[in-house]
Amino acid sequence: MSGTLVLLRHGQSDWNLKNLFTGWKDPDLTEKGVEEAKGAGQRLKAAGYSFDIAFTSELSRAQRTLTLALGELGQSGLETIRNIALNERDYGDLSGLNKDDAREKWGEEQVHIWRRSYDTPPPGGESLKDTGARVWPYYIHTIQPRVLRGETILVAAHGNSLRALVMALEGMSGEEIVGEEIATGVPIVYRLNADSTVAEKTVLSA
């Protein structure tokens, strides 16, 4: 067996709470989000995890989640690499809009397609397939080799960038991944085989 990869979606953000499309906008965590991030760190510590390196996006809600979780782990000084490849899906013209207002403007069915289809992007934005097109190469070239060397790695990112990773790790189809939800502040632990396939998956729920 090779190394361990832990995926962590950021805690609840202010715009999650307000039901807004967030994408590449940069709101902070809510108080609940702070507690979710700390709780994730506490559960990882209780399960005996410590990390060799962490990766996160260029967005502050993921960075702060990582900082808070590492603080609970006693690893505040851990080497961390930030990269735009791990950013949330860009919602384009929907960014900053209330989801109910968007449904009123474009219709329930159209907004549902933009949110949940695999390869239909909103105007000016990315589909989940587009998000995967930047996440997958970054994972394969930068993160996966370290896991396969036996390192234990933490990736703090976003619902859609992590869904793209889960899709690749678990061999899901575009149809399967659209129904997959990534909960805020809940670590997903993958132990990988030497051939990069998943040997074991554990979800550290509260």
Side-chain angles (χ1 to χ4, degrees):
M1 192 178 292
S2 197
T4 300
L5 175 68
V6 178
L7 307 183
L8 177 61
R9 182 183 176 189
H10 64 79
Q12 183 192 65
S13 75
D14 184 51
W15 283 21
N16 291 146
L17 181 63
K18 293 176 179 175
N19 201 34
L20 305 180
F21 285 100
T22 310
W24 284 31
K25 302 294 185 181
D26 208 17
D28 201 356
L29 300 179
T30 60
E31 288 184 18
K32 178 183 177 182
V34 168
E35 292 308 309
E36 286 177 334
K38 289 180 177 178
Q42 291 161 7
R43 292 195 298 282
L44 286 165
K45 183 176 182 179
Y49 291 99
S50 63
F51 295 93
D52 295 297
I53 192 170
F55 293 86
T56 190
S57 76
E58 292 283 0
L59 299 170
S60 60
R61 59 191 184 276
Q63 294 171 11
R64 190 171 182 212
T65 295
L66 177 61
T67 297
L68 291 165
L70 290 176
E72 296 296 323
L73 281 158
Q75 287 197 276
S76 294
L78 185 69
E79 180 185 357
T80 297
I81 297 175
R82 300 174 179 177
N83 196 285
I84 199 169
L86 296 174
N87 274 23
E88 177 57 296
R89 173 184 167 193
D90 184 354
Y91 277 103
D93 293 354
L94 300 183
S95 300
L97 293 181
N98 182 283
K99 292 173 184 175
D100 292 331
D101 292 343
R103 292 185 189 101
E104 199 169 297
K105 181 174 181 178
W106 285 290
E108 177 88 34
E109 184 177 352
Q110 183 61 67
V111 172
H112 181 75
I113 289 169
W114 287 334
R115 290 189 68 197
R116 290 302 177 197
S117 72
Y118 174 60
D119 55 7
T120 304
E126 296 178 306
S127 65
L128 180 57
K129 183 179 180 180
D130 295 330
T131 306
R134 57 178 164 80
V135 172
W136 298 323
Y138 185 71
Y139 170 71
I140 289 168
H141 294 296
T142 305
I143 299 174
Q144 181 178 271
R146 303 188 72 133
V147 182
L148 297 183
R149 288 201 297 268
E151 294 184 17
T152 301
I153 291 176
L154 177 58
V155 177
H158 307 267
N160 284 294
S161 52
L162 293 180
R163 283 165 79 210
L165 271 180
V166 167
M167 180 182 180
L169 287 161
E170 299 189 26
M172 291 183 175
S173 67
E175 291 72 29
E176 289 169 328
I177 194 59
V178 295
E180 185 79 6
E181 290 293 337
I182 308 291
T184 53
V186 177
I188 306 170
V189 182
Y190 291 96
R191 296 190 186 279
L192 299 189
N193 294 309
D195 65 357
S196 80
T197 59
V198 174
E200 182 183 1
K201 176 185 178 182
T202 307
V203 178
L204 299 181
S205 301

